[in-house]
Amino acid sequence: MKSSLKIGSIMGIPVKLHITFLLILPVFALVFSINEYPLGFAGTTPVILNYALSLLTTILLFACILLHELGHSYIAKSYGVEIKDITLLLFGGVSSMEEIPREPSQELRMAFAGPLVSFIIGFILLGANYILASTASGYGGTSIWLMFYILGSINIVLGLFNLLPAFPMDGGRLLRAWYAKRMSYVKATHYAAGFGKMFAFLMGLLGLFFNPWLILIAFFVYIGASEEDKSTTISVLLEKYNVSDIMSEDVRTVSPDITVEELSKFMFENKHLGYPVMQGNSLKGIVTFTDIRNIIPTDRFATLVSDVMTRDIISVSPEDTASEAFKVMTVNNVGRLLVVSDGELVGILSRSDLMRTMTLLNE
Ligand SMILES: [Zn+2]
């Protein structure tokens, strides 16, 4: 994803900042600087200290969110789950992991680890603030220890918010793990998602009367619940099939030496939007409609497929399950995968192949 910027890595996990995070950073700092004690630093003198504390609090807040995510990741890693990266975005963080453990007790611990980290940080900071506040002679509304109070409180709220029993919050996963001890994983997800939707509905209703922000959160919870339900059903159903069962074997390939103009004609005639690029018998890359759509008409005759193709080939093996292929597609955000066996291209699997199989399975 080009919309994120990698800032480093912790425990071998790349940490990224999403563009929305960079936009929200000054907004949070502004909120802290205009709110009065004990919600912000307004009134602190000199004014520069107000701004510095507001900015520092914002940065530390996101460091706390990162620690929350690392809590999940740490437990996940101990169960052998691969974490691709952690991205900090507008409202919190997201760890993208290859798969969530299906073992209810593992999912339970993993989901709880995040809020637990937030509570621990919260109580430590509030405790430190309490001690410092009683030893120092009051805040005067300007003390740096106010930051401990603000960050501590936010961490407690963050932990509680994440325990709301609805996807995509951690509480939704806890609820699923609770159900999954009593029934199949798909059914458990369905029940947990149903509960989350009901919860979202009630929250939206409350929002109508009290606070319009609740409607927004309710909407986000409702979408999260539906998505989780759908993607779990898809991946469990697709586990029964291998890539070789549903891939297209009749693969049209293109040469890296043809022009983009020739390629777009070829796409139009063959009606597929992505093709492996082959030079003789060797696979060089993949080229899709997305790679060429922004090339202006006058450049189309001079640009070659080799200039625009993606060299980084994302492939699966014909023996992989369709469910694994679906995950690879989702994690990498691509619409098609090349099927490679012993270094040789044997087929292509597109999102529409998977969707077709899903439709047939649901009949
Ligand atoms: Zn969490």
Side-chain angles (χ1 to χ4, degrees):
M1 250 197 300
K2 281 184 209 93
S3 45
S4 308
L5 179 81
K6 189 182 159 185
I7 51 161
S9 60
I10 303 175
M11 298 193 318
I13 305 163
V15 176
K16 296 177 176 173
L17 297 182
H18 192 255
I19 181 107
T20 53
F21 167 81
L22 295 173
L23 292 174
I24 204 73
L25 200 74
V27 177
F28 265 76
L30 182 72
V31 168
F32 287 131
S33 72
I34 58 174
N35 267 303
E36 308 240 323
Y37 174 86
L39 298 173
F41 304 96
T44 306
T45 44
V47 174
I48 188 82
L49 183 62
N50 172 7
Y51 294 144
L53 285 173
S54 300
L55 186 64
L56 184 63
T57 305
T58 307
I59 292 169
L60 289 177
L61 172 62
F62 280 91
C64 292
I65 293 173
L66 180 61
L67 287 172
H68 170 113
E69 288 305 315
L70 285 171
H72 291 304
S73 305
Y74 180 77
I75 304 290
K77 277 195 125 178
S78 76
Y79 293 132
V81 177
E82 210 38 59
I83 314 288
K84 209 176 144 249
D85 57 54
I86 293 177
T87 309
L88 291 176
L89 16 91
L90 189 54
F91 293 113
V94 170
S95 317
S96 46
M97 39 190 94
E98 286 200 320
E99 68 186 301
I100 290 159
R102 294 274 172 80
E103 178 54 51
S105 62
Q106 293 188 358
E107 183 172 31
L108 203 105
R109 285 197 197 103
M110 209 185 79
F112 191 65
L116 183 67
V117 169
S118 299
F119 288 136
I120 292 173
I121 301 174
F123 285 117
I124 290 177
L125 290 178
L126 286 182
N129 165 265
Y130 184 77
I131 295 164
L132 290 163
S134 54
T135 52
S137 53
Y139 296 105
T142 58
S143 168
I144 195 167
W145 308 120
L146 178 58
M147 197 167 70
F148 282 23
Y149 175 80
I150 294 176
L151 283 173
S153 315
I154 294 179
N155 271 287
I156 303 285
V157 171
L158 200 70
L160 289 173
F161 179 74
N162 269 293
L163 286 180
L164 293 180
F167 292 116
M169 266 81 75
D170 300 327
R173 300 189 189 289
L174 289 172
L175 186 65
R176 167 167 62 196
W178 185 82
Y179 276 125
K181 284 191 173 170
R182 292 154 184 85
M183 57 186 81
S184 80
Y185 189 75
V186 172
K187 232 178 165 177
T189 306
H190 196 63
Y191 273 48
F195 190 90
K197 285 181 191 174
M198 202 173 69
F199 186 81
F201 184 75
L202 287 175
M203 191 150 61
L205 210 60
L206 280 177
L208 279 181
F209 297 107
F210 300 105
N211 189 338
W213 277 101
L214 281 178
I215 303 176
L216 190 74
I217 300 173
F219 184 70
F220 155 84
V221 168
Y222 192 90
I223 301 282
S226 315
E227 282 294 309
E228 184 66 33
D229 195 13
K230 208 166 67 187
S231 71
T232 305
T233 313
I234 290 176
S235 64
V236 171
L237 279 174
L238 288 178
E239 259 162 31
K240 300 179 190 124
Y241 293 85
N242 284 340
V243 168
S244 56
D245 299 330
I246 53 174
M247 68 184 189
S248 314
E249 283 168 60
D250 172 33
V251 187
R252 300 272 159 101
T253 62
V254 295
S255 149
D257 307 321
I258 64 168
T259 64
V260 166
E261 178 61 23
E262 286 169 312
L263 176 68
S264 55
K265 271 201 193 117
F266 187 79
M267 276 185 186
F268 194 74
E269 283 158 14
N270 289 280
K271 302 189 176 56
H272 285 297
L273 296 177
Y275 299 91
V277 183
M278 299 275 281
Q279 184 129 56
N281 283 326
S282 92
L283 183 60
K284 295 290 176 200
I286 184 164
V287 68
T288 66
F289 180 67
T290 322
D291 297 323
I292 64 164
R293 105 182 128 187
N294 291 329
I295 299 173
I296 54 168
T298 45
D299 286 348
R300 287 177 174 248
F301 294 93
T303 313
L304 296 179
V305 164
S306 58
D307 301 324
V308 294
M309 68 183 186
T310 309
R311 286 163 203 273
D312 207 3
I313 300 163
I314 302 165
S315 66
V316 284
S317 136
E319 292 87 39
D320 287 340
T321 65
S323 170
E324 282 165 321
F326 177 69
K327 257 171 243 153
V328 174
M329 244 180 231
T330 312
V331 170
N332 292 290
N333 193 23
V334 291
R336 52 186 62 68
L337 298 171
L338 300 182
V339 186
V340 176
S341 176
D342 297 322
E344 226 172 280
L345 181 70
V346 292
I348 192 160
L349 182 73
S350 66
R351 201 174 277 271
S352 47
D353 292 329
L354 286 175
M355 291 308 134
R356 197 174 329 110
T357 309
M358 283 302 303
T359 316
L360 292 172
L361 287 173
N362 270 338
E363 294 282 290

